[in-house]
Amino acid sequence: MPSKIYKLLDMFNRIVQNGYLGWLLQRITAIVLLVFGGIHIFYITYTIERIPPSPFIIYSILLSAGIYHAFNGLKTILAEWGYVTSKAINLTVLLTIIGIVLWFFGISSLYMLYG
């Protein structure tokens, strides 16, 4: 049994070190955006009340996934365009700070509207 745990931890360590975690989270947030964006469009288009049953939760998930997906994609694109490793670390920190600030303003706006 312990060897299975060590194999799992080793696999997770390799995923994180090789950058596959960002790749995986990019795909997961794409699916989340597709599902919750579809819910948003469905309620806006086909219902009378035009607001989902629990809008704060749905829009918070949509906002969080959208911000991560956008800024991780932007970081990946800029890294492919030739940013070296030292600049990429600074770029990651800068995009993370901007993303957190935007997330905070978005969540506070959602709380004022639906909270």
Side-chain angles (χ1 to χ4, degrees), residues 70-83 91:
F71 283 107
N72 188 41
L74 182 63
K75 179 187 68 108
T76 303
I77 289 170
L78 291 175
E80 286 179 0
W81 283 355
Y83 275 89
L91 180 69

Side-chain angles (χ1 to χ4, degrees), residues 94-113:
L94 176 68
L95 290 177
T96 302
I97 291 170
I98 293 171
I100 289 171
V101 168
L102 286 176
W103 181 83
F104 178 74
F105 283 125
I107 291 293
S108 62
S109 298
L110 284 174
Y111 184 74
M112 287 191 308
L113 284 173

Side-chain angles (χ1 to χ4, degrees), residues 6-49:
Y6 290 130
K7 286 181 183 179
L8 183 66
L9 289 175
D10 183 51
M11 181 183 70
F12 184 73
N13 190 26
R14 281 186 274 140
I15 286 172
V16 171
Q17 283 182 351
N18 292 334
Y20 294 131
L21 185 62
W23 178 86
L24 181 65
L25 288 174
Q26 187 77 5
R27 273 53 182 184
I28 290 171
T29 56
I31 293 168
V32 168
L33 285 171
L34 184 67
V35 170
F36 284 94
I39 291 170
H40 167 70
I41 291 173
F42 173 78
Y43 273 97
I44 292 287
T45 307
Y46 296 112
T47 62
I48 294 172
E49 57 270 350

